[in-house]
Amino acid sequence: VGPYVLVTPNETRRKKLQQIAKKELNDLEQWKKEHKPGPITLVPQRLGGNESEAQVRQNQQMILMQSKYQKKHKREEYVKAKKAAEEAEILKKKAIQREKAERLEVKKRQEEMQRRKMLLEDQKYKTNELLNRLDVGLPKSDSCQIANPGPGSTAWERSHAYKQPLREDENRSLEEMKQEQQRKAELMELKQKQEDETRTRALKNEQRSCLQSLFTFYCTLRVNNAFLDRLQNKIQPNNISNPGCAG
């Protein structure tokens, strides 16, 4: 730290500044008292409009109801706008997905065409190779030797061996399809059988409930007939003992 000088405060100057500040504060307070606003005096007059209190209340209620309807209308408009925005967003996403699906479909179609083209080229190449082998393997002396079995038979055997797995695959696929159809038919038959059993069970339950109702009615009828018979037996002796009262 470098050298520094300590300045002692001037008490006379400080007192003078304090006196000036005190005088200014007193002057400010005096000015506020002198310029204090006086009492307001207004001429009495009638306030309000020409409408009665009941009409004003009614108008306030109408304004409140209108504000409620306006809020409801604004809320409905907001919901409609939000729903429209969501539907637009959904349609946009659907369009994007549709475009992607179309591009994928085009790509698949192109790949399928490319694959078929390569397959045709490969098939053509193999056919040419087979024909070249047949041409090389056949003897050229006379036509009689062509009819005889020779190296061409091996080419036929190779062709037969190439086609045999294809036929086996086709037969296997046909057999699987037949088995699948048979399983479906068995499932349909089992389902039909279950439905018939359920229908028969429901019919039996209905018949049983009808029989129970008839039995209950028959028992009630027998009880009523027995009661009537007892009542008639009680009445008949009285009629016999008082023949004059029969009329």
Side-chain angles (χ1 to χ4, degrees), residues 85-110:
E86 290 177 354
E87 289 179 355
E89 187 69 20
I90 292 171
L91 290 175
K92 185 178 178 180
K93 290 181 180 179
K94 284 184 178 180
I96 293 171
Q97 293 296 330
R98 193 181 300 111
E99 187 177 355
K100 288 182 180 179
E102 289 176 357
R103 286 202 299 267
L104 184 62
E105 187 68 24
V106 171
K107 186 178 179 181
K108 286 183 179 179
R109 198 178 297 115
Q110 290 177 357

mmCIF file of all heavy atoms in Angstrom, residues 85-110:
data_model
loop_
_atom_site.group_PDB
_atom_site.id
_atom_site.type_symbol
_atom_site.label_atom_id
_atom_site.label_comp_id
_atom_site.label_asym_id
_atom_site.label_seq_id
_atom_site.Cartn_x
_atom_site.Cartn_y
_atom_site.Cartn_z
ATOM 1 N N ALA A 85 -57.762 -27.329 -35.580
ATOM 2 C CA ALA A 85 -56.300 -27.396 -35.669
ATOM 3 C C ALA A 85 -55.810 -28.829 -35.474
ATOM 4 O O ALA A 85 -54.908 -29.297 -36.191
ATOM 5 C CB ALA A 85 -55.677 -26.470 -34.631
ATOM 6 N N GLU A 86 -56.412 -29.538 -34.509
ATOM 7 C CA GLU A 86 -56.018 -30.927 -34.288
ATOM 8 C C GLU A 86 -56.357 -31.792 -35.504
ATOM 9 O O GLU A 86 -55.550 -32.640 -35.915
ATOM 10 C CB GLU A 86 -56.724 -31.472 -33.041
ATOM 11 C CG GLU A 86 -56.223 -30.861 -31.740
ATOM 12 C CD GLU A 86 -56.989 -31.365 -30.534
ATOM 13 O OE1 GLU A 86 -57.975 -32.103 -30.746
ATOM 14 O OE2 GLU A 86 -56.603 -31.025 -29.392
ATOM 15 N N GLU A 87 -57.555 -31.580 -36.079
ATOM 16 C CA GLU A 87 -57.920 -32.347 -37.266
ATOM 17 C C GLU A 87 -56.985 -32.028 -38.434
ATOM 18 O O GLU A 87 -56.591 -32.927 -39.195
ATOM 19 C CB GLU A 87 -59.370 -32.043 -37.654
ATOM 20 C CG GLU A 87 -60.387 -32.620 -36.689
ATOM 21 C CD GLU A 87 -61.811 -32.281 -37.092
ATOM 22 O OE1 GLU A 87 -61.966 -31.508 -38.077
ATOM 23 O OE2 GLU A 87 -62.748 -32.776 -36.432
ATOM 24 N N ALA A 88 -56.624 -30.750 -38.575
ATOM 25 C CA ALA A 88 -55.685 -30.386 -39.639
ATOM 26 C C ALA A 88 -54.328 -31.053 -39.416
ATOM 27 O O ALA A 88 -53.700 -31.550 -40.360
ATOM 28 C CB ALA A 88 -55.531 -28.868 -39.695
ATOM 29 N N GLU A 89 -53.896 -31.098 -38.148
ATOM 30 C CA GLU A 89 -52.628 -31.757 -37.839
ATOM 31 C C GLU A 89 -52.702 -33.250 -38.137
ATOM 32 O O GLU A 89 -51.756 -33.839 -38.692
ATOM 33 C CB GLU A 89 -52.283 -31.524 -36.363
ATOM 34 C CG GLU A 89 -50.915 -32.014 -35.957
ATOM 35 C CD GLU A 89 -49.793 -31.209 -36.554
ATOM 36 O OE1 GLU A 89 -50.041 -30.060 -36.961
ATOM 37 O OE2 GLU A 89 -48.671 -31.741 -36.631
ATOM 38 N N ILE A 90 -53.853 -33.858 -37.778
ATOM 39 C CA ILE A 90 -54.029 -35.291 -38.056
ATOM 40 C C ILE A 90 -54.038 -35.552 -39.558
ATOM 41 O O ILE A 90 -53.409 -36.506 -40.055
ATOM 42 C CB ILE A 90 -55.322 -35.797 -37.395
ATOM 43 C CG1 ILE A 90 -55.165 -35.783 -35.867
ATOM 44 C CG2 ILE A 90 -55.665 -37.204 -37.862
ATOM 45 C CD1 ILE A 90 -56.443 -36.055 -35.116
ATOM 46 N N LEU A 91 -54.753 -34.695 -40.312
ATOM 47 C CA LEU A 91 -54.784 -34.853 -41.767
ATOM 48 C C LEU A 91 -53.395 -34.687 -42.367
ATOM 49 O O LEU A 91 -53.005 -35.403 -43.302
ATOM 50 C CB LEU A 91 -55.760 -33.839 -42.372
ATOM 51 C CG LEU A 91 -57.243 -34.081 -42.087
ATOM 52 C CD1 LEU A 91 -58.079 -32.938 -42.651
ATOM 53 C CD2 LEU A 91 -57.704 -35.402 -42.680
ATOM 54 N N LYS A 92 -52.642 -33.737 -41.813
ATOM 55 C CA LYS A 92 -51.279 -33.529 -42.300
ATOM 56 C C LYS A 92 -50.418 -34.759 -42.054
ATOM 57 O O LYS A 92 -49.679 -35.215 -42.942
ATOM 58 C CB LYS A 92 -50.680 -32.310 -41.600
ATOM 59 C CG LYS A 92 -49.308 -31.916 -42.102
ATOM 60 C CD LYS A 92 -48.819 -30.679 -41.378
ATOM 61 C CE LYS A 92 -47.407 -30.294 -41.857
ATOM 62 N NZ LYS A 92 -46.925 -29.086 -41.140
ATOM 63 N N LYS A 93 -50.541 -35.322 -40.831
ATOM 64 C CA LYS A 93 -49.779 -36.534 -40.522
ATOM 65 C C LYS A 93 -50.218 -37.696 -41.409
ATOM 66 O O LYS A 93 -49.382 -38.483 -41.874
ATOM 67 C CB LYS A 93 -49.961 -36.893 -39.046
ATOM 68 C CG LYS A 93 -49.278 -35.926 -38.091
ATOM 69 C CD LYS A 93 -49.477 -36.353 -36.650
ATOM 70 C CE LYS A 93 -48.785 -35.388 -35.685
ATOM 71 N NZ LYS A 93 -48.985 -35.775 -34.258
ATOM 72 N N LYS A 94 -51.548 -37.800 -41.643
ATOM 73 C CA LYS A 94 -52.033 -38.870 -42.520
ATOM 74 C C LYS A 94 -51.493 -38.707 -43.936
ATOM 75 O O LYS A 94 -51.116 -39.687 -44.598
ATOM 76 C CB LYS A 94 -53.563 -38.868 -42.537
ATOM 77 C CG LYS A 94 -54.196 -39.445 -41.292
ATOM 78 C CD LYS A 94 -55.705 -39.489 -41.433
ATOM 79 C CE LYS A 94 -56.342 -40.116 -40.190
ATOM 80 N NZ LYS A 94 -57.831 -40.156 -40.306
ATOM 81 N N ALA A 95 -51.466 -37.460 -44.405
ATOM 82 C CA ALA A 95 -50.928 -37.216 -45.745
ATOM 83 C C ALA A 95 -49.450 -37.603 -45.814
ATOM 84 O O ALA A 95 -48.985 -38.208 -46.792
ATOM 85 C CB ALA A 95 -51.121 -35.741 -46.120
ATOM 86 N N ILE A 96 -48.710 -37.258 -44.746
ATOM 87 C CA ILE A 96 -47.283 -37.618 -44.722
ATOM 88 C C ILE A 96 -47.122 -39.138 -44.725
ATOM 89 O O ILE A 96 -46.294 -39.699 -45.470
ATOM 90 C CB ILE A 96 -46.607 -36.984 -43.492
ATOM 91 C CG1 ILE A 96 -46.569 -35.459 -43.634
ATOM 92 C CG2 ILE A 96 -45.192 -37.516 -43.327
ATOM 93 C CD1 ILE A 96 -46.115 -34.734 -42.385
ATOM 94 N N GLN A 97 -47.929 -39.830 -43.882
ATOM 95 C CA GLN A 97 -47.849 -41.280 -43.836
ATOM 96 C C GLN A 97 -48.266 -41.906 -45.167
ATOM 97 O O GLN A 97 -47.678 -42.897 -45.620
ATOM 98 C CB GLN A 97 -48.728 -41.816 -42.701
ATOM 99 C CG GLN A 97 -48.256 -41.444 -41.305
ATOM 100 C CD GLN A 97 -46.922 -42.039 -40.960
ATOM 101 O OE1 GLN A 97 -46.572 -43.118 -41.441
ATOM 102 N NE2 GLN A 97 -46.148 -41.340 -40.142
ATOM 103 N N ARG A 98 -49.314 -41.322 -45.816
ATOM 104 C CA ARG A 98 -49.748 -41.832 -47.110
ATOM 105 C C ARG A 98 -48.653 -41.664 -48.159
ATOM 106 O O ARG A 98 -48.397 -42.556 -48.978
ATOM 107 C CB ARG A 98 -51.021 -41.094 -47.538
ATOM 108 C CG ARG A 98 -51.723 -41.758 -48.721
ATOM 109 C CD ARG A 98 -52.954 -40.980 -49.114
ATOM 110 N NE ARG A 98 -53.913 -40.887 -48.035
ATOM 111 C CZ ARG A 98 -54.217 -39.788 -47.377
ATOM 112 N NH1 ARG A 98 -53.622 -38.644 -47.688
ATOM 113 N NH2 ARG A 98 -55.113 -39.799 -46.421
ATOM 114 N N GLU A 99 -48.001 -40.493 -48.118
ATOM 115 C CA GLU A 99 -46.914 -40.258 -49.059
ATOM 116 C C GLU A 99 -45.767 -41.241 -48.818
ATOM 117 O O GLU A 99 -45.179 -41.779 -49.773
ATOM 118 C CB GLU A 99 -46.421 -38.818 -48.901
ATOM 119 C CG GLU A 99 -45.400 -38.406 -49.953
ATOM 120 C CD GLU A 99 -45.002 -36.948 -49.790
ATOM 121 O OE1 GLU A 99 -45.586 -36.268 -48.929
ATOM 122 O OE2 GLU A 99 -44.100 -36.512 -50.529
ATOM 123 N N LYS A 100 -45.453 -41.484 -47.535
ATOM 124 C CA LYS A 100 -44.396 -42.459 -47.237
ATOM 125 C C LYS A 100 -44.785 -43.853 -47.729
ATOM 126 O O LYS A 100 -43.956 -44.589 -48.282
ATOM 127 C CB LYS A 100 -44.142 -42.486 -45.729
ATOM 128 C CG LYS A 100 -43.426 -41.267 -45.194
ATOM 129 C CD LYS A 100 -43.177 -41.399 -43.693
ATOM 130 C CE LYS A 100 -42.448 -40.186 -43.138
ATOM 131 N NZ LYS A 100 -42.223 -40.306 -41.668
ATOM 132 N N ALA A 101 -46.069 -44.216 -47.508
ATOM 133 C CA ALA A 101 -46.528 -45.536 -47.948
ATOM 134 C C ALA A 101 -46.458 -45.648 -49.472
ATOM 135 O O ALA A 101 -46.070 -46.694 -50.011
ATOM 136 C CB ALA A 101 -47.954 -45.783 -47.465
ATOM 137 N N GLU A 102 -46.849 -44.570 -50.170
ATOM 138 C CA GLU A 102 -46.770 -44.595 -51.636
ATOM 139 C C GLU A 102 -45.332 -44.729 -52.106
ATOM 140 O O GLU A 102 -45.038 -45.494 -53.036
ATOM 141 C CB GLU A 102 -47.411 -43.327 -52.199
ATOM 142 C CG GLU A 102 -48.928 -43.291 -52.043
ATOM 143 C CD GLU A 102 -49.522 -41.980 -52.520
ATOM 144 O OE1 GLU A 102 -48.723 -41.090 -52.913
ATOM 145 O OE2 GLU A 102 -50.762 -41.853 -52.518
ATOM 146 N N ARG A 103 -44.434 -43.971 -51.455
ATOM 147 C CA ARG A 103 -43.020 -44.091 -51.834
ATOM 148 C C ARG A 103 -42.494 -45.502 -51.569
ATOM 149 O O ARG A 103 -41.759 -46.071 -52.375
ATOM 150 C CB ARG A 103 -42.187 -43.067 -51.066
ATOM 151 C CG ARG A 103 -42.355 -41.643 -51.567
ATOM 152 C CD ARG A 103 -41.152 -40.788 -51.178
ATOM 153 N NE ARG A 103 -40.996 -40.705 -49.742
ATOM 154 C CZ ARG A 103 -41.506 -39.742 -48.987
ATOM 155 N NH1 ARG A 103 -42.223 -38.778 -49.531
ATOM 156 N NH2 ARG A 103 -41.302 -39.737 -47.678
ATOM 157 N N LEU A 104 -42.913 -46.073 -50.411
ATOM 158 C CA LEU A 104 -42.492 -47.431 -50.103
ATOM 159 C C LEU A 104 -43.055 -48.437 -51.098
ATOM 160 O O LEU A 104 -42.351 -49.377 -51.516
ATOM 161 C CB LEU A 104 -42.945 -47.784 -48.689
ATOM 162 C CG LEU A 104 -42.506 -49.142 -48.134
ATOM 163 C CD1 LEU A 104 -40.984 -49.209 -48.044
ATOM 164 C CD2 LEU A 104 -43.117 -49.391 -46.767
ATOM 165 N N GLU A 105 -44.323 -48.210 -51.498
ATOM 166 C CA GLU A 105 -44.932 -49.096 -52.489
ATOM 167 C C GLU A 105 -44.204 -48.993 -53.819
ATOM 168 O O GLU A 105 -43.944 -50.018 -54.490
ATOM 169 C CB GLU A 105 -46.414 -48.731 -52.656
ATOM 170 C CG GLU A 105 -47.195 -49.692 -53.533
ATOM 171 C CD GLU A 105 -47.357 -51.056 -52.885
ATOM 172 O OE1 GLU A 105 -47.294 -51.137 -51.654
ATOM 173 O OE2 GLU A 105 -47.541 -52.029 -53.634
ATOM 174 N N VAL A 106 -43.866 -47.776 -54.229
ATOM 175 C CA VAL A 106 -43.121 -47.597 -55.484
ATOM 176 C C VAL A 106 -41.761 -48.269 -55.392
ATOM 177 O O VAL A 106 -41.291 -48.938 -56.334
ATOM 178 C CB VAL A 106 -42.983 -46.090 -55.793
ATOM 179 C CG1 VAL A 106 -42.028 -45.877 -56.980
ATOM 180 C CG2 VAL A 106 -44.338 -45.491 -56.115
ATOM 181 N N LYS A 107 -41.113 -48.116 -54.225
ATOM 182 C CA LYS A 107 -39.803 -48.735 -54.033
ATOM 183 C C LYS A 107 -39.910 -50.256 -54.098
ATOM 184 O O LYS A 107 -39.079 -50.931 -54.734
ATOM 185 C CB LYS A 107 -39.224 -48.295 -52.694
ATOM 186 C CG LYS A 107 -37.816 -48.763 -52.448
ATOM 187 C CD LYS A 107 -37.303 -48.235 -51.118
ATOM 188 C CE LYS A 107 -35.876 -48.729 -50.834
ATOM 189 N NZ LYS A 107 -35.372 -48.230 -49.532
ATOM 190 N N LYS A 108 -40.957 -50.818 -53.438
ATOM 191 C CA LYS A 108 -41.146 -52.256 -53.491
ATOM 192 C C LYS A 108 -41.415 -52.734 -54.917
ATOM 193 O O LYS A 108 -40.909 -53.776 -55.344
ATOM 194 C CB LYS A 108 -42.310 -52.660 -52.580
ATOM 195 C CG LYS A 108 -41.991 -52.600 -51.099
ATOM 196 C CD LYS A 108 -43.173 -53.084 -50.282
ATOM 197 C CE LYS A 108 -42.851 -53.057 -48.788
ATOM 198 N NZ LYS A 108 -44.003 -53.506 -47.966
ATOM 199 N N ARG A 109 -42.243 -51.949 -55.652
ATOM 200 C CA ARG A 109 -42.535 -52.334 -57.024
ATOM 201 C C ARG A 109 -41.273 -52.312 -57.878
ATOM 202 O O ARG A 109 -41.031 -53.221 -58.696
ATOM 203 C CB ARG A 109 -43.590 -51.380 -57.597
ATOM 204 C CG ARG A 109 -44.281 -51.932 -58.837
ATOM 205 C CD ARG A 109 -45.331 -50.981 -59.342
ATOM 206 N NE ARG A 109 -46.399 -50.796 -58.375
ATOM 207 C CZ ARG A 109 -46.670 -49.651 -57.769
ATOM 208 N NH1 ARG A 109 -45.946 -48.572 -58.024
ATOM 209 N NH2 ARG A 109 -47.661 -49.570 -56.907
ATOM 210 N N GLN A 110 -40.449 -51.283 -57.679
ATOM 211 C CA GLN A 110 -39.197 -51.216 -58.428
ATOM 212 C C GLN A 110 -38.271 -52.376 -58.072
ATOM 213 O O GLN A 110 -37.643 -52.983 -58.949
ATOM 214 C CB GLN A 110 -38.513 -49.882 -58.145
ATOM 215 C CG GLN A 110 -39.219 -48.680 -58.753
ATOM 216 C CD GLN A 110 -38.551 -47.370 -58.387
ATOM 217 O OE1 GLN A 110 -37.586 -47.359 -57.619
ATOM 218 N NE2 GLN A 110 -39.048 -46.267 -58.929
#
